[in-house]
PDB file of all heavy atoms in Angstrom:
ATOM      1  N   LEU T 950     -16.525  22.834  12.537  1.00 97.00           N
ATOM      2  CA  LEU T 950     -17.132  22.377  13.789  1.00 97.00           C
ATOM      3  C   LEU T 950     -18.472  23.040  14.077  1.00 97.00           C
ATOM      4  O   LEU T 950     -19.389  22.422  14.636  1.00 97.00           O
ATOM      5  CB  LEU T 950     -16.139  22.607  14.922  1.00 97.00           C
ATOM      6  CG  LEU T 950     -16.576  22.388  16.366  1.00 97.00           C
ATOM      7  CD1 LEU T 950     -15.414  21.849  17.186  1.00 97.00           C
ATOM      8  CD2 LEU T 950     -17.045  23.708  17.001  1.00 97.00           C
ATOM      9  N   ILE T 967     -14.905   6.485  17.408  1.00 95.00           N
ATOM     10  CA  ILE T 967     -13.980   7.616  17.538  1.00 95.00           C
ATOM     11  C   ILE T 967     -13.946   8.115  18.973  1.00 95.00           C
ATOM     12  O   ILE T 967     -12.867   8.337  19.543  1.00 95.00           O
ATOM     13  CB  ILE T 967     -14.401   8.748  16.578  1.00 95.00           C
ATOM     14  CG1 ILE T 967     -14.160   8.318  15.133  1.00 95.00           C
ATOM     15  CG2 ILE T 967     -13.639  10.042  16.897  1.00 95.00           C
ATOM     16  CD1 ILE T 967     -14.817   9.226  14.108  1.00 95.00           C
ATOM     17  N   LEU T 968     -15.098   8.279  19.581  1.00 96.00           N
ATOM     18  CA  LEU T 968     -15.137   8.811  20.941  1.00 96.00           C
ATOM     19  C   LEU T 968     -14.540   7.827  21.943  1.00 96.00           C
ATOM     20  O   LEU T 968     -13.881   8.240  22.906  1.00 96.00           O
ATOM     21  CB  LEU T 968     -16.570   9.176  21.322  1.00 96.00           C
ATOM     22  CG  LEU T 968     -17.202  10.295  20.478  1.00 96.00           C
ATOM     23  CD1 LEU T 968     -18.593  10.639  20.997  1.00 96.00           C
ATOM     24  CD2 LEU T 968     -16.325  11.542  20.458  1.00 96.00           C
ATOM     25  N   ARG T 970     -12.104   5.754  21.312  1.00 95.00           N
ATOM     26  CA  ARG T 970     -10.653   5.855  21.141  1.00 95.00           C
ATOM     27  C   ARG T 970     -10.126   7.149  21.770  1.00 95.00           C
ATOM     28  O   ARG T 970      -9.083   7.152  22.441  1.00 95.00           O
ATOM     29  CB  ARG T 970     -10.309   5.811  19.656  1.00 95.00           C
ATOM     30  CG  ARG T 970      -8.835   6.040  19.323  1.00 95.00           C
ATOM     31  CD  ARG T 970      -7.967   4.884  19.773  1.00 95.00           C
ATOM     32  NE  ARG T 970      -6.571   5.112  19.447  1.00 95.00           N
ATOM     33  CZ  ARG T 970      -5.987   4.729  18.313  1.00 95.00           C
ATOM     34  NH1 ARG T 970      -6.708   4.108  17.384  1.00 95.00           N
ATOM     35  NH2 ARG T 970      -4.706   4.944  18.117  1.00 95.00           N
ATOM     36  N   ALA T 971     -10.833   8.249  21.558  1.00 97.00           N
ATOM     37  CA  ALA T 971     -10.397   9.537  22.112  1.00 97.00           C
ATOM     38  C   ALA T 971     -10.394   9.507  23.636  1.00 97.00           C
ATOM     39  O   ALA T 971      -9.467  10.020  24.276  1.00 97.00           O
ATOM     40  CB  ALA T 971     -11.290  10.661  21.597  1.00 97.00           C
ATOM     41  N   ASP T 974      -7.458   7.507  24.834  1.00 97.00           N
ATOM     42  CA  ASP T 974      -6.207   8.259  24.675  1.00 97.00           C
ATOM     43  C   ASP T 974      -6.014   9.269  25.800  1.00 97.00           C
ATOM     44  O   ASP T 974      -4.895   9.447  26.304  1.00 97.00           O
ATOM     45  CB  ASP T 974      -6.198   8.999  23.336  1.00 97.00           C
ATOM     46  CG  ASP T 974      -5.968   8.079  22.148  1.00 97.00           C
ATOM     47  OD1 ASP T 974      -5.516   6.942  22.356  1.00 97.00           O
ATOM     48  OD2 ASP T 974      -6.246   8.512  21.008  1.00 97.00           O
ATOM     49  N   ARG T 975      -7.090   9.927  26.188  1.00 94.00           N
ATOM     50  CA  ARG T 975      -6.971  11.011  27.161  1.00 94.00           C
ATOM     51  C   ARG T 975      -6.528  10.512  28.538  1.00 94.00           C
ATOM     52  O   ARG T 975      -6.063  11.294  29.372  1.00 94.00           O
ATOM     53  CB  ARG T 975      -8.294  11.769  27.284  1.00 94.00           C
ATOM     54  CG  ARG T 975      -8.624  12.590  26.046  1.00 94.00           C
ATOM     55  CD  ARG T 975      -9.935  13.353  26.180  1.00 94.00           C
ATOM     56  NE  ARG T 975      -9.841  14.385  27.194  1.00 94.00           N
ATOM     57  CZ  ARG T 975     -10.545  14.406  28.322  1.00 94.00           C
ATOM     58  NH1 ARG T 975     -11.393  13.426  28.585  1.00 94.00           N
ATOM     59  NH2 ARG T 975     -10.413  15.386  29.186  1.00 94.00           N
ATOM     60  N   TRP T 979       0.962  11.582  26.674  1.00 98.00           N
ATOM     61  CA  TRP T 979       1.181  11.792  25.242  1.00 98.00           C
ATOM     62  C   TRP T 979       2.448  11.045  24.810  1.00 98.00           C
ATOM     63  O   TRP T 979       3.429  10.980  25.540  1.00 98.00           O
ATOM     64  CB  TRP T 979       1.346  13.275  24.934  1.00 98.00           C
ATOM     65  CG  TRP T 979       0.041  14.005  24.797  1.00 98.00           C
ATOM     66  CD1 TRP T 979      -0.629  14.667  25.773  1.00 98.00           C
ATOM     67  CD2 TRP T 979      -0.736  14.126  23.610  1.00 98.00           C
ATOM     68  NE1 TRP T 979      -1.789  15.206  25.273  1.00 98.00           N
ATOM     69  CE2 TRP T 979      -1.879  14.893  23.939  1.00 98.00           C
ATOM     70  CE3 TRP T 979      -0.593  13.679  22.302  1.00 98.00           C
ATOM     71  CZ2 TRP T 979      -2.871  15.218  23.016  1.00 98.00           C
ATOM     72  CZ3 TRP T 979      -1.577  14.000  21.370  1.00 98.00           C
ATOM     73  CH2 TRP T 979      -2.693  14.754  21.719  1.00 98.00           C
ATOM     74  N   LEU T1006       1.577   9.669  17.925  1.00 98.00           N
ATOM     75  CA  LEU T1006       1.287  11.084  18.152  1.00 98.00           C
ATOM     76  C   LEU T1006       0.385  11.628  17.051  1.00 98.00           C
ATOM     77  O   LEU T1006      -0.591  12.354  17.338  1.00 98.00           O
ATOM     78  CB  LEU T1006       2.596  11.877  18.211  1.00 98.00           C
ATOM     79  CG  LEU T1006       2.475  13.403  18.348  1.00 98.00           C
ATOM     80  CD1 LEU T1006       1.663  13.795  19.570  1.00 98.00           C
ATOM     81  CD2 LEU T1006       3.867  14.039  18.388  1.00 98.00           C
ATOM     82  N   ARG T1007       0.663  11.284  15.815  1.00 98.00           N
ATOM     83  CA  ARG T1007      -0.198  11.730  14.715  1.00 98.00           C
ATOM     84  C   ARG T1007      -1.596  11.142  14.853  1.00 98.00           C
ATOM     85  O   ARG T1007      -2.603  11.834  14.652  1.00 98.00           O
ATOM     86  CB  ARG T1007       0.414  11.348  13.366  1.00 98.00           C
ATOM     87  CG  ARG T1007       1.716  12.058  13.042  1.00 98.00           C
ATOM     88  CD  ARG T1007       2.086  11.883  11.569  1.00 98.00           C
ATOM     89  NE  ARG T1007       2.140  10.491  11.170  1.00 98.00           N
ATOM     90  CZ  ARG T1007       3.212   9.716  11.281  1.00 98.00           C
ATOM     91  NH1 ARG T1007       4.332  10.209  11.815  1.00 98.00           N
ATOM     92  NH2 ARG T1007       3.178   8.461  10.875  1.00 98.00           N
ATOM     93  N   GLN T1008      -1.667   9.846  15.188  1.00 97.00           N
ATOM     94  CA  GLN T1008      -2.971   9.193  15.299  1.00 97.00           C
ATOM     95  C   GLN T1008      -3.785   9.773  16.446  1.00 97.00           C
ATOM     96  O   GLN T1008      -4.985  10.038  16.295  1.00 97.00           O
ATOM     97  CB  GLN T1008      -2.778   7.689  15.498  1.00 97.00           C
ATOM     98  CG  GLN T1008      -4.062   6.889  15.595  1.00 97.00           C
ATOM     99  CD  GLN T1008      -4.889   6.969  14.335  1.00 97.00           C
ATOM    100  OE1 GLN T1008      -4.420   6.600  13.258  1.00 97.00           O
ATOM    101  NE2 GLN T1008      -6.118   7.458  14.424  1.00 97.00           N
ATOM    102  N   ARG T1009      -3.156   9.988  17.583  1.00 97.00           N
ATOM    103  CA  ARG T1009      -3.890  10.544  18.725  1.00 97.00           C
ATOM    104  C   ARG T1009      -4.387  11.956  18.417  1.00 97.00           C
ATOM    105  O   ARG T1009      -5.515  12.311  18.782  1.00 97.00           O
ATOM    106  CB  ARG T1009      -2.996  10.552  19.959  1.00 97.00           C
ATOM    107  CG  ARG T1009      -3.688  11.164  21.185  1.00 97.00           C
ATOM    108  CD  ARG T1009      -2.954  10.859  22.459  1.00 97.00           C
ATOM    109  NE  ARG T1009      -3.525  11.575  23.597  1.00 97.00           N
ATOM    110  CZ  ARG T1009      -3.144  11.409  24.857  1.00 97.00           C
ATOM    111  NH1 ARG T1009      -2.185  10.544  25.147  1.00 97.00           N
ATOM    112  NH2 ARG T1009      -3.707  12.087  25.843  1.00 97.00           N
ATOM    113  N   THR T1010      -3.564  12.756  17.771  1.00 98.00           N
ATOM    114  CA  THR T1010      -3.992  14.102  17.408  1.00 98.00           C
ATOM    115  C   THR T1010      -5.166  14.056  16.437  1.00 98.00           C
ATOM    116  O   THR T1010      -6.153  14.798  16.592  1.00 98.00           O
ATOM    117  CB  THR T1010      -2.820  14.875  16.787  1.00 98.00           C
ATOM    118  OG1 THR T1010      -1.719  14.888  17.697  1.00 98.00           O
ATOM    119  CG2 THR T1010      -3.215  16.303  16.463  1.00 98.00           C
ATOM    120  N   SER T1011      -5.097  13.187  15.448  1.00 98.00           N
ATOM    121  CA  SER T1011      -6.188  13.056  14.479  1.00 98.00           C
ATOM    122  C   SER T1011      -7.476  12.615  15.160  1.00 98.00           C
ATOM    123  O   SER T1011      -8.563  13.133  14.861  1.00 98.00           O
ATOM    124  CB  SER T1011      -5.802  12.046  13.389  1.00 98.00           C
ATOM    125  OG  SER T1011      -4.677  12.475  12.674  1.00 98.00           O
ATOM    126  N   THR T1012      -7.373  11.648  16.071  1.00 97.00           N
ATOM    127  CA  THR T1012      -8.556  11.181  16.782  1.00 97.00           C
ATOM    128  C   THR T1012      -9.174  12.310  17.601  1.00 97.00           C
ATOM    129  O   THR T1012     -10.399  12.462  17.653  1.00 97.00           O
ATOM    130  CB  THR T1012      -8.196  10.001  17.697  1.00 97.00           C
ATOM    131  OG1 THR T1012      -7.650   8.938  16.910  1.00 97.00           O
ATOM    132  CG2 THR T1012      -9.417   9.492  18.442  1.00 97.00           C
ATOM    133  N   ALA T1013      -8.339  13.116  18.247  1.00 98.00           N
ATOM    134  CA  ALA T1013      -8.852  14.244  19.026  1.00 98.00           C
ATOM    135  C   ALA T1013      -9.552  15.261  18.134  1.00 98.00           C
ATOM    136  O   ALA T1013     -10.583  15.826  18.520  1.00 98.00           O
ATOM    137  CB  ALA T1013      -7.706  14.910  19.789  1.00 98.00           C
ATOM    138  N   VAL T1014      -9.013  15.502  16.945  1.00 98.00           N
ATOM    139  CA  VAL T1014      -9.673  16.417  16.001  1.00 98.00           C
ATOM    140  C   VAL T1014     -11.042  15.876  15.624  1.00 98.00           C
ATOM    141  O   VAL T1014     -12.047  16.616  15.611  1.00 98.00           O
ATOM    142  CB  VAL T1014      -8.806  16.621  14.746  1.00 98.00           C
ATOM    143  CG1 VAL T1014      -9.576  17.411  13.684  1.00 98.00           C
ATOM    144  CG2 VAL T1014      -7.508  17.345  15.097  1.00 98.00           C
ATOM    145  N   LEU T1015     -11.124  14.590  15.321  1.00 97.00           N
ATOM    146  CA  LEU T1015     -12.411  13.988  14.956  1.00 97.00           C
ATOM    147  C   LEU T1015     -13.397  14.059  16.120  1.00 97.00           C
ATOM    148  O   LEU T1015     -14.586  14.373  15.923  1.00 97.00           O
ATOM    149  CB  LEU T1015     -12.199  12.540  14.524  1.00 97.00           C
ATOM    150  CG  LEU T1015     -11.384  12.324  13.244  1.00 97.00           C
ATOM    151  CD1 LEU T1015     -11.109  10.835  13.039  1.00 97.00           C
ATOM    152  CD2 LEU T1015     -12.107  12.899  12.034  1.00 97.00           C
ATOM    153  N   ALA T1016     -12.938  13.754  17.324  1.00 97.00           N
ATOM    154  CA  ALA T1016     -13.829  13.830  18.488  1.00 97.00           C
ATOM    155  C   ALA T1016     -14.311  15.257  18.712  1.00 97.00           C
ATOM    156  O   ALA T1016     -15.481  15.489  19.057  1.00 97.00           O
ATOM    157  CB  ALA T1016     -13.097  13.312  19.726  1.00 97.00           C
ATOM    158  N   ALA T1017     -13.424  16.231  18.512  1.00 98.00           N
ATOM    159  CA  ALA T1017     -13.807  17.633  18.702  1.00 98.00           C
ATOM    160  C   ALA T1017     -14.867  18.057  17.702  1.00 98.00           C
ATOM    161  O   ALA T1017     -15.851  18.728  18.065  1.00 98.00           O
ATOM    162  CB  ALA T1017     -12.576  18.524  18.587  1.00 98.00           C
ATOM    163  N   VAL T1018     -14.690  17.679  16.453  1.00 98.00           N
ATOM    164  CA  VAL T1018     -15.645  18.125  15.442  1.00 98.00           C
ATOM    165  C   VAL T1018     -16.986  17.403  15.598  1.00 98.00           C
ATOM    166  O   VAL T1018     -18.052  17.961  15.297  1.00 98.00           O
ATOM    167  CB  VAL T1018     -15.052  17.938  14.028  1.00 98.00           C
ATOM    168  CG1 VAL T1018     -15.103  16.495  13.579  1.00 98.00           C
ATOM    169  CG2 VAL T1018     -15.749  18.838  13.020  1.00 98.00           C
ATOM    170  N   LEU T1019     -16.957  16.164  16.092  1.00 97.00           N
ATOM    171  CA  LEU T1019     -18.203  15.436  16.276  1.00 97.00           C
ATOM    172  C   LEU T1019     -19.019  15.964  17.455  1.00 97.00           C
ATOM    173  O   LEU T1019     -20.252  15.903  17.445  1.00 97.00           O
ATOM    174  CB  LEU T1019     -17.915  13.945  16.479  1.00 97.00           C
ATOM    175  CG  LEU T1019     -17.517  13.140  15.234  1.00 97.00           C
ATOM    176  CD1 LEU T1019     -17.058  11.746  15.630  1.00 97.00           C
ATOM    177  CD2 LEU T1019     -18.678  13.060  14.245  1.00 97.00           C
ATOM    178  N   THR T1020     -18.330  16.459  18.475  1.00 98.00           N
ATOM    179  CA  THR T1020     -19.036  16.817  19.713  1.00 98.00           C
ATOM    180  C   THR T1020     -19.037  18.310  20.024  1.00 98.00           C
ATOM    181  O   THR T1020     -19.881  18.765  20.808  1.00 98.00           O
ATOM    182  CB  THR T1020     -18.381  16.107  20.913  1.00 98.00           C
ATOM    183  OG1 THR T1020     -17.035  16.584  21.059  1.00 98.00           O
ATOM    184  CG2 THR T1020     -18.371  14.596  20.710  1.00 98.00           C
ATOM    185  N   ASP T1022     -17.062  19.548  21.941  1.00 98.00           N
ATOM    186  CA  ASP T1022     -16.710  19.567  23.357  1.00 98.00           C
ATOM    187  C   ASP T1022     -15.331  20.212  23.514  1.00 98.00           C
ATOM    188  O   ASP T1022     -14.365  19.818  22.870  1.00 98.00           O
ATOM    189  CB  ASP T1022     -16.691  18.121  23.887  1.00 98.00           C
ATOM    190  CG  ASP T1022     -16.579  18.049  25.401  1.00 98.00           C
ATOM    191  OD1 ASP T1022     -15.841  18.867  25.982  1.00 98.00           O
ATOM    192  OD2 ASP T1022     -17.212  17.154  25.983  1.00 98.00           O
ATOM    193  N   GLN T1024     -13.138  19.955  25.799  1.00 97.00           N
ATOM    194  CA  GLN T1024     -12.045  19.089  26.247  1.00 97.00           C
ATOM    195  C   GLN T1024     -11.370  18.414  25.065  1.00 97.00           C
ATOM    196  O   GLN T1024     -10.141  18.210  25.074  1.00 97.00           O
ATOM    197  CB  GLN T1024     -12.561  18.046  27.229  1.00 97.00           C
ATOM    198  CG  GLN T1024     -13.512  17.018  26.638  1.00 97.00           C
ATOM    199  CD  GLN T1024     -13.948  15.969  27.653  1.00 97.00           C
ATOM    200  OE1 GLN T1024     -13.365  15.862  28.727  1.00 97.00           O
ATOM    201  NE2 GLN T1024     -14.971  15.199  27.308  1.00 97.00           N
ATOM    202  N   TYR T1025     -12.147  18.077  24.033  1.00 98.00           N
ATOM    203  CA  TYR T1025     -11.543  17.481  22.846  1.00 98.00           C
ATOM    204  C   TYR T1025     -10.820  18.534  22.007  1.00 98.00           C
ATOM    205  O   TYR T1025      -9.796  18.243  21.382  1.00 98.00           O
ATOM    206  CB  TYR T1025     -12.596  16.773  21.997  1.00 98.00           C
ATOM    207  CG  TYR T1025     -13.225  15.571  22.656  1.00 98.00           C
ATOM    208  CD1 TYR T1025     -14.605  15.438  22.712  1.00 98.00           C
ATOM    209  CD2 TYR T1025     -12.439  14.556  23.210  1.00 98.00           C
ATOM    210  CE1 TYR T1025     -15.199  14.333  23.314  1.00 98.00           C
ATOM    211  CE2 TYR T1025     -13.016  13.450  23.814  1.00 98.00           C
ATOM    212  CZ  TYR T1025     -14.405  13.337  23.854  1.00 98.00           C
ATOM    213  OH  TYR T1025     -14.988  12.249  24.454  1.00 98.00           O
ATOM    214  N   VAL T1026     -11.350  19.749  21.965  1.00 98.00           N
ATOM    215  CA  VAL T1026     -10.661  20.826  21.255  1.00 98.00           C
ATOM    216  C   VAL T1026      -9.292  21.067  21.898  1.00 98.00           C
ATOM    217  O   VAL T1026      -8.271  21.205  21.212  1.00 98.00           O
ATOM    218  CB  VAL T1026     -11.492  22.115  21.247  1.00 98.00           C
ATOM    219  CG1 VAL T1026     -10.699  23.257  20.606  1.00 98.00           C
ATOM    220  CG2 VAL T1026     -12.805  21.910  20.508  1.00 98.00           C
ATOM    221  N   ASP T1027      -9.259  21.099  23.217  1.00 98.00           N
ATOM    222  CA  ASP T1027      -7.982  21.292  23.910  1.00 98.00           C
ATOM    223  C   ASP T1027      -7.035  20.120  23.655  1.00 98.00           C
ATOM    224  O   ASP T1027      -5.822  20.311  23.495  1.00 98.00           O
ATOM    225  CB  ASP T1027      -8.222  21.444  25.416  1.00 98.00           C
ATOM    226  CG  ASP T1027      -8.835  22.792  25.773  1.00 98.00           C
ATOM    227  OD1 ASP T1027      -8.879  23.676  24.890  1.00 98.00           O
ATOM    228  OD2 ASP T1027      -9.264  22.957  26.928  1.00 98.00           O
ATOM    229  N   GLU T1028      -7.584  18.920  23.655  1.00 98.00           N
ATOM    230  CA  GLU T1028      -6.753  17.744  23.365  1.00 98.00           C
ATOM    231  C   GLU T1028      -6.158  17.846  21.961  1.00 98.00           C
ATOM    232  O   GLU T1028      -4.967  17.585  21.753  1.00 98.00           O
ATOM    233  CB  GLU T1028      -7.611  16.477  23.487  1.00 98.00           C
ATOM    234  CG  GLU T1028      -6.916  15.185  23.088  1.00 98.00           C
ATOM    235  CD  GLU T1028      -6.155  14.517  24.229  1.00 98.00           C
ATOM    236  OE1 GLU T1028      -6.024  15.133  25.305  1.00 98.00           O
ATOM    237  OE2 GLU T1028      -5.684  13.389  24.035  1.00 98.00           O
ATOM    238  N   ALA T1029      -6.977  18.231  20.995  1.00 98.00           N
ATOM    239  CA  ALA T1029      -6.485  18.397  19.627  1.00 98.00           C
ATOM    240  C   ALA T1029      -5.406  19.474  19.568  1.00 98.00           C
ATOM    241  O   ALA T1029      -4.376  19.308  18.900  1.00 98.00           O
ATOM    242  CB  ALA T1029      -7.636  18.730  18.691  1.00 98.00           C
ATOM    243  N   ALA T1030      -5.638  20.578  20.263  1.00 98.00           N
ATOM    244  CA  ALA T1030      -4.654  21.669  20.266  1.00 98.00           C
ATOM    245  C   ALA T1030      -3.335  21.214  20.883  1.00 98.00           C
ATOM    246  O   ALA T1030      -2.251  21.574  20.395  1.00 98.00           O
ATOM    247  CB  ALA T1030      -5.219  22.869  21.027  1.00 98.00           C
ATOM    248  N   ASP T1031      -3.402  20.421  21.943  1.00 98.00           N
ATOM    249  CA  ASP T1031      -2.179  19.899  22.549  1.00 98.00           C
ATOM    250  C   ASP T1031      -1.396  19.066  21.531  1.00 98.00           C
ATOM    251  O   ASP T1031      -0.169  19.209  21.398  1.00 98.00           O
ATOM    252  CB  ASP T1031      -2.508  19.036  23.763  1.00 98.00           C
ATOM    253  CG  ASP T1031      -2.908  19.863  24.982  1.00 98.00           C
ATOM    254  OD1 ASP T1031      -2.625  21.072  25.002  1.00 98.00           O
ATOM    255  OD2 ASP T1031      -3.516  19.278  25.902  1.00 98.00           O
ATOM    256  N   GLY T1032      -2.098  18.197  20.839  1.00 98.00           N
ATOM    257  CA  GLY T1032      -1.421  17.362  19.853  1.00 98.00           C
ATOM    258  C   GLY T1032      -0.838  18.166  18.710  1.00 98.00           C
ATOM    259  O   GLY T1032       0.282  17.908  18.253  1.00 98.00           O
ATOM    260  N   LEU T1033      -1.586  19.149  18.238  1.00 98.00           N
ATOM    261  CA  LEU T1033      -1.094  19.973  17.135  1.00 98.00           C
ATOM    262  C   LEU T1033       0.173  20.730  17.524  1.00 98.00           C
ATOM    263  O   LEU T1033       1.127  20.819  16.738  1.00 98.00           O
ATOM    264  CB  LEU T1033      -2.189  20.951  16.688  1.00 98.00           C
ATOM    265  CG  LEU T1033      -3.409  20.305  16.016  1.00 98.00           C
ATOM    266  CD1 LEU T1033      -4.547  21.317  15.905  1.00 98.00           C
ATOM    267  CD2 LEU T1033      -3.044  19.755  14.646  1.00 98.00           C
ATOM    268  N   LEU T1084     -11.500  22.899  12.598  1.00 98.00           N
ATOM    269  CA  LEU T1084     -11.479  23.431  13.974  1.00 98.00           C
ATOM    270  C   LEU T1084     -11.033  24.889  14.040  1.00 98.00           C
ATOM    271  O   LEU T1084     -10.841  25.413  15.150  1.00 98.00           O
ATOM    272  CB  LEU T1084     -10.528  22.598  14.859  1.00 98.00           C
ATOM    273  CG  LEU T1084     -10.840  21.123  15.059  1.00 98.00           C
ATOM    274  CD1 LEU T1084      -9.856  20.531  16.063  1.00 98.00           C
ATOM    275  CD2 LEU T1084     -12.265  20.905  15.520  1.00 98.00           C
ATOM    276  N   LEU T1276      -6.281  11.729   8.519  1.00 96.00           N
ATOM    277  CA  LEU T1276      -7.354  12.588   8.995  1.00 96.00           C
ATOM    278  C   LEU T1276      -8.252  13.038   7.853  1.00 96.00           C
ATOM    279  O   LEU T1276      -9.486  13.032   7.979  1.00 96.00           O
ATOM    280  CB  LEU T1276      -6.757  13.806   9.706  1.00 96.00           C
ATOM    281  CG  LEU T1276      -7.743  14.831  10.253  1.00 96.00           C
ATOM    282  CD1 LEU T1276      -8.761  14.198  11.196  1.00 96.00           C
ATOM    283  CD2 LEU T1276      -6.999  15.970  10.943  1.00 96.00           C
TER     284      LEU T1276
END
Side-chain angles (χ1 to χ4, degrees):
L950 172 146
I967 291 167
L968 297 184
R970 174 69 180 269
D974 286 344
R975 290 181 67 244
W979 277 93
L1006 176 56
R1007 294 193 305 273
Q1008 181 62 59
R1009 178 166 173 174
T1010 304
S1011 298
T1012 301
V1014 172
L1015 295 173
V1018 77
L1019 285 171
T1020 64
D1022 190 322
Q1024 67 178 347
Y1025 294 129
V1026 175
D1027 287 349
E1028 175 88 351
D1031 285 343
L1033 292 167
L1084 298 185
L1276 179 55

